[in-house]
Amino acid sequence: MPAEPEVGLRPALEAVLMLADEPVTETRLAQVVRRPRPEVADMLRELAAEYLAQGRGFELRLVAGGWRYYSAAACAPVVERYVLDGQQARLTQAALETLAVVAYRQPVSRSRVSAVRGVNCDGVMRTLVQRGLVEETGSEPETGAILYRTTNYFLERMGLRGLDELPELAPFLPEVDDVEAESLEGTVIADAVAAASAREAQ
């Protein structure tokens, strides 16, 4: 097994925090980068001050006991336009499939959605949350993973009065073993959501 390449503390922290969608504690970051916690804490504060001094479009903030990147307050109007413009665009096939899995399996964790679809869904889930179609709803007792559900805005956009109006899955699924059926679920049930979305867009 090849040796792990040496990575500096600064780029290591930046790389990890770039992927974080919730604040990460200094203890957890120290474990990941394999450096002493005080050293990690000092570097985080140094990075935060450096970004602020340089007037970057993002900031590194200590929030709720952990560190995470946020867009700079001065850039709020631009970010708002980006998010609102995105809400007018049609959902991609990947987003439709992910939204469908959440709709039928809610409350559900991102890892569970990824398992059903067979691909990592983190980025798509963030997009759905930004567009107000999906929201956090507590955490899984066993693992602590964040759970997600669809929103009232989702029902509004799909023209549904409630989740009980979602089409039954049985007519769409072929006669196959449960495991095979689950692997097809992401693409099959997306058809119903896609049809509703198309009707709404007309």
Side-chain angles (χ1 to χ4, degrees), residues 22-175:
E22 55 189 35
V24 187
T25 65
E26 292 173 0
T27 299
R28 177 60 181 149
L29 288 169
Q31 292 171 343
V32 172
V33 300
R34 297 178 180 172
R35 302 288 277 272
R37 182 171 179 251
E39 184 180 350
V40 168
D42 288 344
M43 179 56 72
L44 289 167
R45 285 166 176 75
E46 182 180 320
L47 285 171
E50 181 180 306
Y51 297 148
L52 197 58
Q54 293 176 348
R56 297 290 190 91
F58 59 90
E59 300 171 355
L60 181 57
R61 301 181 200 158
L62 177 60
V63 177
W67 292 84
R68 183 185 175 193
Y69 283 122
Y70 294 85
S71 58
C75 298
V78 179
V79 173
E80 184 177 343
R81 281 198 299 275
Y82 172 76
V83 173
L84 292 178
D85 287 348
Q87 288 181 342
Q88 306 307 316
R90 290 195 175 189
L91 292 175
T92 63
Q93 183 64 27
L96 280 172
E97 292 176 9
T98 301
L99 181 58
V101 174
V102 174
Y104 281 90
R105 289 295 186 91
Q106 60 186 307
V108 63
S109 65
R110 284 181 302 166
S111 60
R112 182 62 178 151
V113 175
S114 295
V116 171
R117 290 201 59 232
V119 294
N120 186 294
C121 297
D122 290 359
V124 178
M125 286 290 284
R126 281 194 290 271
T127 297
L128 293 175
V129 170
Q130 286 179 338
R131 294 179 66 164
L133 296 168
V134 169
E135 65 184 0
E136 294 181 9
T137 176
S139 58
E140 218 168 41
E142 302 82 6
T143 65
I146 295 174
L147 297 174
Y148 294 86
R149 67 183 177 190
T150 53
T151 63
N152 287 332
Y153 180 63
F154 162 80
L155 295 176
E156 178 187 332
R157 297 290 287 181
M158 296 300 115
L160 304 173
R161 285 174 294 184
L163 294 174
D164 56 337
E165 291 191 352
L166 285 170
E168 291 291 331
L169 289 184
F172 296 95
L173 293 174
E175 295 295 326

